[in-house]
Amino acid sequence: MSPRRVFLGDCTVLATLLLPSWGTAQATVPLSGVHFIELDKPAPVESLPGKIEVIEFFWYNCPHCHALESELADWLPKLPKGVVFKRVPVAFRDDFVPQQRLYYALEAMGLVAQLHARVFAAIHGEKQDLSKGDAIADWVVRQGVNKTQFLEHFHSFSVATQASRSVQ
């Protein structure tokens, strides 16, 4: 199965799990082996014991991730106690890396809350091409971010490809 199909499938599953109508329409308690599979060896998590970790894997150009973003924006302020939410930008191909760097640079600068949804809006609503470093840097500057500081963060992440090094 291609990475894209796995990614789209994961986004669809996450969207289904997070949609409020799904949770209220469910009349039965989820059963192991019927509604989910219990892992023999739980996946390692970064959260403290007793916490539930929800991870969103996303790509800014993904229309499904964009559609899910408004649901997440409504859901995140209502997180139950004991639930930890984390975002992870994916890079299934080299051309995904610049947007992955964008997210991590925004995170390092404390700007995710301010600009994460705006990135989706720029790409999907305003039809801006934010797939390359130069365009990303220009867009970030238009959002009022210092270009030098942003580029320091943007280029501070080690990756195995030179695809994202187009911005000098």
Side-chain angles (χ1 to χ4, degrees):
M1 185 175 282
S2 74
R4 181 181 176 166
R5 284 198 163 196
V6 170
F7 175 69
L8 293 176
D10 288 348
C11 286
T12 303
V13 168
L14 184 57
T16 303
L17 290 173
L18 294 178
L19 288 174
S21 60
W22 181 84
T24 56
Q26 186 173 339
T28 61
V29 175
L31 299 172
S32 178
V34 176
H35 301 107
F36 64 92
I37 297 171
E38 205 166 331
L39 301 175
D40 294 332
K41 182 180 177 190
V45 296
E46 294 178 7
S47 301
L48 297 172
K51 298 280 186 180
I52 296 170
E53 189 174 81
V54 176
I55 302 173
E56 175 201 18
F57 296 93
F58 73 94
W59 173 43
Y60 281 122
N61 272 48
C62 171
H64 307 288
C65 297
H66 172 246
L68 180 61
E69 187 58 31
S70 66
E71 295 291 331
L72 280 174
D74 291 342
W75 181 69
L76 288 175
K78 303 172 197 168
L79 276 181
K81 225 177 188 178
V83 176
V84 177
F85 179 79
K86 297 181 181 183
R87 288 185 166 104
V88 177
V90 298
F92 293 129
R93 301 184 320 239
D94 287 351
D95 61 330
F96 285 29
V97 172
Q99 289 182 353
Q100 186 181 45
R101 286 177 174 262
L102 165 61
Y103 176 79
Y104 284 125
L106 294 177
E107 183 179 60
M109 297 176 78
L111 297 173
V112 170
Q114 178 184 342
L115 296 178
H116 181 70
R118 287 192 204 172
V119 176
F120 278 115
I123 293 169
H124 298 278
E126 301 163 20
K127 305 300 182 200
Q128 294 185 43
D129 180 2
L130 299 182
S131 62
K132 295 188 175 36
D134 290 331
I136 290 170
D138 291 344
W139 181 85
V140 169
V141 168
R142 287 193 306 273
Q143 306 313 303
V145 177
N146 178 284
K147 185 174 185 173
T148 303
Q149 289 177 349
F150 173 76
L151 290 177
E152 284 176 14
H153 289 288
F154 187 79
H155 290 300
S156 69
F157 304 101
S158 175
V159 293
T161 179
Q162 290 298 313
S164 63
R165 298 297 281 174
S166 63
V167 177
Q168 299 300 325

